[in-house]
Amino acid sequence: MANICVYCSSSSQINNGFTPVARTLGAGLAERNHTLVYGGGTSGLMGVVARTVRDRGSSVVGVIPEKLQSIEGVASDTADELIVTETMSERKRIMYLRADAFVVLPGGFGTLEEFLEVLTLRQLAYHERPVVIVNHNGFYDSLLGFFEELYAQHFARTPHDDLVFVADSSDAALSHLDVALQTPAPTPRE
Ligand code: AMP
C-alpha cells in the first residue's frame, strides 16, 4: 500500500490506443491497494487512470489548480480527496510531497515538466523515491535518446537509467514498483 503519483496526458484528442496503458496502470494500482495521487482532472489519460482506480475500489487524491478546473474537468465524483490549489507550482508541490513513487505515462508538455522536475530532484539527491517511465511502443524513445546524448556530452552528471526505470508497459512498471517499494525511501527533506 503506497501513494503513487501518476503524471500523464490531459488531452482528450490522443489516439485511443493509449487508453489501455492508463487503464492497466489504474487496475494494477487498485489491485495492490495503492492510492493514486494525480492532477485531479477528468480529461485524457488522467481521467482514465483515476476512474479505473476508483471503480476498482482504491483511493484517489486529486490536486488541481482553481483555474484549470474548467479546462481539465473536476474529479469531484472520482477523487476521494480533492485539493484545489491557487497555483500550478502549489499543485506540483503537493503531488510531489504526497508520493512514495512516480509513474510517467505518455503525455505532453505538462507531463514532461513534472517528470523532469522529479528527475532533476533525484539527480540532486533531494529524494530517492522510485521514478518509472512507461515507454509504451517507444513513445519516449527520442527523449531517452536525447538523455543519452546529454550524458555522453557531460551535460547530465548521471545516466538517466540510474534515475528512472524505463518500463515498456504498465505491467512492467507495476512489477518494478512491487520490488522498489519494498525498501521505502526516506521521506523528502523539503
Ligand atoms: P499534459 O501532459 O500537457 O497534457 O499535462 C498533464 C498535466 O500536467 C495537466 O494536468 C497539466 O495541467 C499539468 N501541468 C502542466 N504544467 C504544470 C506545472 N508547471 N505544474 C503542475 N502541473 C502542470
Side-chain angles (χ1 to χ4, degrees):
M1 254 170 90
N3 297 309
I4 311 296
C5 177
V6 176
Y7 300 130
C8 60
S9 176
S10 59
S11 170
S12 305
Q13 310 290 315
I14 57 172
N15 188 296
N16 288 340
F18 291 102
T19 307
V21 183
R23 205 172 279 142
T24 302
L25 182 72
L29 293 177
E31 197 179 307
R32 290 159 175 81
N33 216 8
H34 291 323
T35 292
L36 169 71
V37 177
Y38 88 117
T42 55
S43 62
L45 298 182
M46 292 170 64
V48 175
V49 181
R51 284 190 293 273
T52 308
V53 171
R54 185 66 192 272
D55 288 350
R56 289 170 183 247
S58 240
S59 300
V60 173
V61 178
V63 192
I64 192 161
E66 209 173 347
K67 174 179 163 148
L68 292 189
Q69 292 184 98
S70 56
I71 301 169
E72 297 181 0
V74 191
S76 45
D77 55 346
T78 311
D80 299 273
E81 186 183 356
L82 186 68
I83 302 168
V84 179
T85 63
E86 265 183 41
T87 65
M88 289 291 258
S89 54
E90 202 188 330
R91 169 206 233 178
K92 204 166 42 169
R93 185 87 193 130
I94 293 172
M95 290 167 71
Y96 172 78
L97 291 174
R98 294 282 290 252
D100 298 309
F102 305 90
V103 179
V104 183
L105 295 184
F109 293 134
T111 303
L112 290 179
E113 200 262 351
E114 293 164 320
F115 168 47
L116 286 176
E117 178 162 309
V118 291
L119 193 66
T120 310
L121 290 173
R122 193 169 158 148
Q123 179 180 246
L124 296 170
Y126 277 96
H127 76 92
E128 292 173 21
R129 290 167 286 165
V131 182
V132 184
I133 187 167
V134 179
N135 189 23
H136 170 76
N137 278 348
F139 181 82
Y140 282 117
D141 278 353
S142 51
L143 181 71
L144 297 169
F146 184 58
F147 287 172
E148 277 170 26
E149 197 55 35
L150 290 179
Y151 183 66
Q153 295 196 42
H154 309 288
F155 285 100
R157 57 178 92 157
T158 313
H160 73 267
D161 38 15
D162 283 1
L163 303 170
V164 53
F165 179 79
V166 181
D168 57 11
S169 65
S170 290
D171 279 324
L174 289 158
S175 301
H176 175 76
L177 288 181
D178 288 343
V179 176
L181 288 168
Q182 275 172 12
T183 350
T187 45
R189 277 172 277 155
E190 57 94 41

